[in-house]
Amino acid sequence: MYKVICTLMNMRTNGMSYHRVPLFVWAVYVTAILLLLSLPVLAGIFVKLCLLKIWLYAGNSFNFEDNPQETMKLVYFIGSSETIRQNFSIIKYDSYFLRKFSDSSNTSIPNKNFNYYLAGLIEGDGTIVVPKSQRDQKGRLTYPSIQIVFGLMDLPLALLVQKTIGHGSISRKKGSNAYIYAINSTEGLIKTITLVNGKFKTVKIEALKKLIEWFKAKEIIDFNVLPINTVPLDNSSWLAGFIEADGSFSVRATESLQTNRVECKFELSQAKTGTYGDSYKIMKEVSDFLACSLKDIRLTSSHPQYRVRTLNSKSNLILINYLQKYPLQGKKYLDFYSWLEIAEKFFPGKVDHKNLLPKAKEIKSQMNDQRKVFTWDHLNNFYNIEK
């Protein structure tokens, strides 16, 4: 478009008549002028949104190790309290994101919280890949990796985890509603192992053990996997990372001739069995901590699960106190505080469900998959890495 406009502006200089210009070129020129005169700001934003949509949905990767500055400069949020609408972010090629959400977090939260949080993320929705042979069936060299899955709208969180660790790449596979943060380099893997070693609470510690043994066999490291983490859930940020991966908050608003009822629920589910064993022990620990029941669900399916669900104010209050001490960092932080607007109405005592229904319906319509407006102020207090 810029070249077309410049061509038209130079026509008189070159002695060319305007009436010889093709109709399509005139249409582009007139459209550009109208946009510049009537909607200059919106026109610029529209172009940026279109470019970003093409970028994100094309399955591009953001590689921190190749270009750390460009990785963090890709996504820009208009001020820390502005909004992201309609599943888009705004591109701005400066270091605002890097400064805004990293420098301010260096001293805001004590050390070690990031380590426990990262361990919870990996155990909740991560994979540790350890090659069984030096080469695959096609003769290519094989390498270990640690991968963490982030929801589509949790790209800011994925970028900040990547920046904090200082290694790895983020990519979105075509047809997927998630981003994959993968750490493949030896330096990045050893750093990550060092951060989470001794913080794992599930049977996935066996995968971490295999990864450490893989590096020991190559004489790259000389330490062992530390024992399973026995720190109580309310004394670390591990559960926050685990909830980030597999927890969900919901508000139920039932209105009928027979009853009017509002409920606030939190659920956390895990597959009963995986590659390294049964998840009962950790799910029982979570249910005991939240003072709620642990149930087997989907027993007739090929993927049965354990589910923890809070259904009363006592359990919800335990969860609220914990998450205010060790906050979530992704999109679920927003869902939690929306959910809290209704959950806190139950604490004083008897609740007027009928009068609470309109507010509950409003909150419900703006949570989880229904959310269209996102703010990211909370990333200013991102968990600090252990020094």
Side-chain angles (χ1 to χ4, degrees):
M1 183 181 291
Y2 174 76
K3 291 182 179 180
V4 172
I5 294 174
C6 290
T7 301
L8 287 168
M9 296 293 288
N10 292 329
M11 280 182 180
R12 284 298 182 188
T13 303
N14 298 330
M16 185 182 296
S17 174
Y18 283 145
H19 73 271
R20 297 173 65 96
V21 177
L23 183 60
F24 173 75
V25 177
W26 271 113
V28 173
Y29 178 67
V30 171
T31 301
I33 294 298
L34 290 175
L35 283 172
L36 290 172
L37 291 176
S38 60
L39 300 171
V41 177
L42 292 179
I45 291 176
F46 176 76
V47 171
K48 289 180 179 181
L49 288 175
C50 290
L51 289 173
L52 185 64
K53 183 176 182 181
I54 292 171
W55 178 278
L56 296 181
Y57 282 80
N60 288 292
S61 297
F62 317 117
N63 195 312
F64 185 93
E65 294 173 44
D66 291 344
N67 196 334
Q69 292 297 323
E70 289 304 314
T71 297
M72 298 308 298
K73 290 188 289 188
L74 175 66
V75 177
Y76 168 75
F77 303 101
I78 311 175
S80 63
S81 61
E82 291 289 340
T83 59
I84 306 169
R85 297 178 183 274
Q86 299 176 358
N87 295 343
F88 288 113
S89 303
I90 305 296
I91 293 177
K92 186 177 178 67
Y93 295 99
D94 64 20
S95 58
Y96 180 85
F97 186 89
L98 180 62
R99 296 195 314 272
K100 186 69 178 177
F101 296 129
S102 60
D103 291 348
S104 62
S105 66
N106 287 339
T107 59
S108 58
I109 296 181
N111 288 340
K112 296 187 179 180
N113 280 342
F114 176 78
N115 307 37
Y116 283 101
Y117 176 80
L118 178 62
L121 276 178
I122 295 173
E123 293 190 271
D125 217 349
T127 303
I128 299 176
V129 179
V130 182
K132 296 180 179 179
S133 59
Q134 187 174 1
R135 294 182 180 273
D136 62 16
Q137 294 180 348
K138 294 183 179 180
R140 296 172 297 192
L141 288 172
T142 56
Y143 301 93
S145 69
I146 295 177
Q147 302 173 8
I148 307 174
V149 179
F150 291 88
L152 193 62
M153 292 311 298
D154 273 329
L155 177 59
L157 174 60
L159 285 168
L160 203 47
V161 170
Q162 178 196 46
K163 186 268 169 185
T164 305
I165 295 175
H167 297 274
S169 62
I170 298 172
S171 62
R172 183 185 174 193
K173 295 183 179 180
K174 294 180 180 180
S176 171
N177 289 323
Y179 289 98
I180 308 297
Y181 169 45
I183 305 169
N184 301 304
S185 69
T186 296
E187 184 182 357
L189 286 169
I190 292 175
K191 182 174 183 179
T192 305
I193 290 170
T194 303
L195 292 174
V196 302
N197 197 15
K199 311 298 189 298
F200 272 32
K201 293 183 75 70
T202 74
V203 292
K204 201 170 282 187
I205 194 173
E206 294 299 322
L208 181 64
K209 181 179 179 181
K210 286 188 175 182
L211 180 59
I212 291 175
E213 289 175 348
W214 191 90
F215 280 114
K216 285 185 67 178
K218 295 183 177 297
E219 299 183 347
I220 297 175
I221 60 175
D222 61 356
F223 57 84
N224 297 315
V225 66
L226 294 176
I228 202 160
N229 168 21
T230 58
V231 174
L233 288 174
D234 59 346
N235 286 341
S236 83
S237 53
W238 182 91
L239 181 57
F242 201 61
I243 290 173
E244 203 87 70
D246 291 308
S248 65
F249 302 89
S250 63
V251 173
R252 182 178 180 181
T254 304
E255 184 177 17
S256 66
L257 295 176
Q258 291 77 25
T259 183
N260 295 291
R261 186 165 183 80
V262 175
E263 292 179 319
C264 291
K265 296 185 294 185
F266 165 76
E267 292 187 4
L268 180 65
S269 299
Q270 275 282 294
K272 292 188 67 174
T273 57
T275 304
Y276 297 98
D278 193 274
S279 61
Y280 175 81
K281 185 176 180 180
I282 184 59
M283 293 301 286
K284 185 65 168 64
E285 185 177 353
V286 174
S287 67
D288 288 345
F289 170 61
L290 295 176
C292 61
S293 62
L294 175 64
K295 289 189 176 182
D296 297 341
I297 61 172
R298 299 182 180 178
L299 294 178
T300 58
S301 72
S302 57
H303 302 287
Q305 296 180 336
Y306 293 117
R307 183 188 67 195
V308 170
R309 174 190 284 177
T310 66
L311 287 174
N312 56 61
S313 295
K314 178 183 177 182
S315 295
N316 285 340
L317 184 57
I318 295 172
L319 178 64
I320 290 166
N321 289 336
Y322 173 82
L323 290 179
Q324 289 179 335
K325 182 179 180 182
Y326 300 106
L328 298 169
Q329 300 292 326
K331 173 184 171 293
K332 285 176 185 171
Y333 173 97
L334 306 177
D335 291 330
F336 166 66
Y337 276 97
S338 294
W339 174 86
L340 181 58
E341 289 188 50
I342 302 299
E344 63 184 1
K345 304 293 185 183
F346 288 81
F347 298 144
K350 188 174 182 180
V351 178
D352 187 338
H353 288 260
K354 184 175 182 180
N355 288 332
L356 188 57
L357 271 171
K359 182 65 175 177
K361 289 181 178 180
E362 177 188 353
I363 294 295
K364 181 180 179 181
S365 67
Q366 299 170 2
M367 288 178 60
N368 301 315
D369 294 339
Q370 304 299 316
R371 183 177 296 279
K372 297 298 181 182
V373 178
F374 299 81
T375 59
W376 299 98
D377 289 354
H378 58 280
L379 288 182
N380 287 307
N381 294 317
F382 187 69
Y383 288 117
N384 188 25
I385 195 169
E386 182 178 16
K387 304 300 182 183

